[in-house]
Amino acid sequence: MEKRCVITGLGAVTPLGNTVEEYWNGLKNGVCGIDYITKFDTSDFKVKIAAEVKNFDPEQYMTKKDVKRNDLFTVYGIAAGMQAFEDSGLDMEKEDADRIGVIVGSGTGGLMTMQEQVTRMAEKGPSRVSPLFITMTIGNMAAGNIAIRVGAKGLCHDIVTACATGTDSIGTAFHNIKHGYLDACIAGGAEGAICGIGVAGFTNLTALSTEEDPKKACKPFDKERNGFVMGDGAGMLILEELDHALARGAKIYGEVVGYGATADAYHVTLPDPDGNGAAKAMQMAMNEAGITPEQVDYINAHGTSTPANDVGETKAIKKALGEEIAKKTPVSSTKSMTGHLLGAAGAIEAIACIKALEEGFLPPTINYHVPDEECDLDYIPNQGREVKGAEYALSNSLGFGGHNGVLCFKKWSGK
């Protein structure tokens, strides 16, 4: 028999704040977390802006030694994971550890450590490479470290689907709970890619915004958009089988009811210009949730602020919902405020959907000023919106390589 899957814990380290409350308040108030890069000297770089994590104290969650022995993406992941775990109230002494899972991915893994250690080898020779180089750089280490910390001995996976990583991690956890393989799972994504090689790589790919004013740089669906802005951080959810959550009296934030995943099979960076793969993933998520397009109350768009993504995603939403319904459905890109957290994007955006349904408030797309005739939906421009009766939300993630992931969330009604 299929099980129901609810959300009982949330954790976030983001450019808008280092707790879920700070992050959500930033979204509601249309705060821009993008600014000039402080983590390295950008004198020789064309792009000098990003959405960095600010005022973060990792020693709230781990020792100074732990911080030094892990790449920043893992540090962010552990912090968000422990927030979510503590929020959930799960007590591992009362759980079957073999039925508690961790599915956490990263789009780039330990990119900062790679840069540091390759530079060290080039300058000082191979004998000076850190003995922890491998364990700091491989992408599964956020998942592995979280599992070690909480004692979770069930399925422990690192899913890597570029910018769809966080969404696919949550979707995979959802299916494992739905089909009875796990009682609960820590799921999400973590990223720490704002470093010289990361910024240079995306810049030379012509993917990043060339806007010089950081507060105007990320403008999804605006006609003058010209690229995305890199962001760092992590988002984590505790997904739990409904009866298991009810039996221990857990607080329930919402329910995961659908997940769709497809491949464009089109290009390594460009999305299918017709939006076919993304539309299919949205339809799959709605079908699994058992809802019609009319029942979708909000869509958190991938909305990267690149010319190709925003047009293709607009087409995808129209195909998935039907043009008439799509034009009535509120859509926003919270990346306008957080930047693009790559493998962690889908996870923090899932939190945005859950909170939007819980509070009846839809976050805005900021920096939207010049309408684009090819992007003609309701993008909740510049100001968030209170809504009554919002029950279902979709969260879209569309990654390099043609990976499309879509989650469907339902407001928790108490039954």
Side-chain angles (χ1 to χ4, degrees), residues 285-317:
M286 289 187 287
N287 289 342
E288 184 170 25
I291 64 171
T292 63
E294 290 91 342
Q295 290 174 275
V296 176
D297 299 297
Y298 169 61
I299 298 173
N300 187 291
H302 189 56
T304 58
S305 187
T306 63
N309 175 90
D310 296 3
V311 172
E313 188 172 11
T314 297
K315 289 179 181 177
I317 292 169

Side-chain angles (χ1 to χ4, degrees), residues 102-115:
V102 180
I103 304 178
V104 173
S106 174
T108 64
L111 199 59
M112 189 176 297
T113 299
M114 287 184 207
Q115 175 180 295

Side-chain angles (χ1 to χ4, degrees), residues 116-130:
E116 290 171 353
Q117 294 301 315
V118 169
T119 301
R120 179 181 288 187
M121 186 174 76
E123 293 176 350
K124 299 182 179 180
S127 65
R128 298 296 297 276
V129 170
S130 169

